[in-house]
Amino acid sequence: MRKIPMRMCINCQQMFPKKELIRIVRRASDGTAVIDSTGKVSGKGAYVCHNKNCIKAVIKDNKLEKHLGIKIPEDIYRELERVLTVQDDG
Ligand SMILES: [Zn+2]
């Protein structure tokens, strides 16, 4: 049996396969926050599932800042908002 790595969404606290989550990482090399689409950036990570309510809550309540302990740049929030927009099409 293959073991799927699971991670917890910082909003709903549910476990999801790592690949299905959006990973935002405080990059170890320079300490800034980036969205990691490869899963290979080293640093402290925060995971958000694709549930609209979770993405909205994470943006609204600054959950990423609290979780990672750093200021989250605007472009990360814009990127998350783009995920919401894409979902609206479906
Ligand atoms: Zn969630």
Side-chain angles (χ1 to χ4, degrees):
M1 266 208 309
R2 218 155 50 87
K3 200 171 165 139
I4 302 168
M6 303 289 278
R7 292 293 183 276
M8 190 170 54
C9 168
I10 59 169
N11 185 62
C12 64
Q13 317 271 300
Q14 287 186 66
M15 302 295 288
F16 294 92
K18 198 178 163 187
K19 275 192 228 162
E20 290 179 16
L21 295 160
I22 304 164
R23 180 178 190 235
I24 300 95
V25 57
R26 186 179 74 203
R27 196 161 48 189
S29 54
D30 59 8
T32 60
V34 292
I35 290 188
D36 174 22
S37 50
T38 65
K40 293 191 171 112
V41 177
S42 66
K44 181 179 167 61
Y47 295 86
V48 187
C49 73
H50 280 80
N51 185 308
K52 279 185 194 182
N53 292 332
C54 287
I55 296 174
K56 281 180 189 164
V58 158
I59 296 170
K60 185 170 158 285
D61 301 336
N62 292 321
K63 282 179 192 286
L64 288 172
E65 296 202 10
K66 284 172 199 157
H67 195 86
L68 297 176
I70 51 166
K71 190 107 184 76
I72 304 299
E74 269 300 307
D75 57 334
I76 290 204
Y77 289 121
R78 270 200 294 272
E79 193 65 40
L80 291 173
E81 277 164 3
R82 198 177 311 160
V83 175
L84 287 174
T85 315
V86 168
Q87 285 189 341
D88 281 340
D89 293 339

